[in-house]
Amino acid sequence: MSTEGVNVTRRRFLLASTTVVGAVGTGFIAYPFVASMQPSAKTQAAGAPVEVDISKIEPGQLLIVEWRGKPVWIVRRTEESLKGLKEQSLLDRLRDADSNESEQPDYAKNEYRAINSEYLVVIGICTHLGCSPSYIKKDDTHNLPGWWMGGFFCPCHGSFFDLAGRVFKGVPAPLNLVIPKHAFFANGTKVMIGVDPEGGAT
Ligand code: FES
């Protein structure tokens, strides 16, 4: 993308952010937070893995859990959004499309940044200065560009990430969102955050 293209993209994002900030406050409460699944404070402090039942997450829905004191988002992606993550028109807009500079386990260094493409498991902390972005669906009524396929918006300084947590060019955040170690089990109805699929805890 040319420098001019980047500037145009950023301007569009900055323009869009004004509307998004106002709307996010009301939308946020719609996201379920699995308080009952939180380990005790003592267990958390020890960095224990967190087990999450994902069997009730609907396509397109975001679930928030806490692991090691951080928000972890689990998004069940739709078929449409999975296709969108591979589109060149999106890849051209990303700063680290192949996640070469970003942090994720080896088994999540792929186009979906996931071991199970249907589910994105990502730490919900902006890689700029640590704010927690908000989930913005494709069809949410924000003033976003027509090519927006869904993703995350950080209101602190206007950074955008796609549905694989990949950061867009022209925003302050330097890297993709971090993918924690995680493993699916119980026929894919549960995920354990903080362990590799082989079972080794971080
Ligand atoms: S902390 Fe997210 S854009 Fe600055």
Side-chain angles (χ1 to χ4, degrees):
M1 181 184 288
S2 67
T3 304
E4 186 183 350
V6 170
N7 288 338
V8 168
T9 301
R10 185 169 187 181
R11 275 201 300 275
R12 293 187 71 181
F13 272 145
L14 291 176
L15 276 175
S17 66
T18 309
T19 305
V20 172
V21 170
V24 158
T26 54
F28 187 77
I29 57 172
Y31 307 149
F33 191 94
V34 189
S36 62
M37 293 181 183
Q38 302 317 301
S40 67
K42 189 175 170 188
T43 306
Q44 264 193 9
V50 173
E51 177 184 316
V52 185
D53 184 346
I54 56 172
S55 62
K56 303 273 191 306
I57 305 179
E58 300 290 337
Q61 191 178 21
L62 167 76
L63 186 68
I64 303 173
V65 297
E66 188 178 351
W67 172 66
R68 294 187 172 175
K70 300 173 185 170
V72 174
W73 302 331
I74 303 170
V75 181
R76 185 175 174 188
R77 294 178 286 208
T78 63
E79 281 297 323
E80 181 189 16
S81 61
L82 289 174
K83 278 186 203 149
L85 290 176
K86 296 189 288 186
E87 286 188 10
Q88 195 60 45
S89 58
L90 171 64
L91 300 178
D92 289 345
R93 292 184 164 97
L94 302 175
R95 178 173 287 155
D96 186 18
D98 296 326
S99 299
N100 290 324
E101 311 295 328
S102 302
E103 185 179 340
Q104 63 277 309
D106 287 346
Y107 47 81
K109 189 176 183 297
N110 52 51
E111 57 202 333
Y112 304 112
R113 304 191 74 224
I115 190 169
N116 175 349
S117 61
E118 191 172 358
Y119 293 95
L120 171 68
V121 179
V122 66
I123 293 179
I125 295 178
C126 181
T127 55
H128 182 221
L129 294 175
C131 290
S132 190
S134 298
Y135 179 37
I136 310 291
K137 292 183 180 181
K138 180 178 191 293
D139 300 325
D140 280 351
T141 54
H142 301 304
N143 184 25
L144 288 166
W147 48 261
W148 177 253
M149 298 180 196
F152 309 97
F153 168 69
C154 182
C156 288
H157 311 96
S159 289
F160 284 82
F161 306 85
D162 76 354
L163 273 177
R166 296 175 298 188
V167 67
F168 282 84
K169 296 174 181 172
V171 302
L175 296 169
N176 298 340
L177 299 175
V178 174
I179 307 289
K181 293 189 176 187
H182 60 284
F184 291 87
F185 63 105
N187 292 321
T189 62
K190 293 186 177 181
V191 63
M192 186 77 84
I193 299 165
V195 299
D196 284 318
E198 297 79 19
T202 58

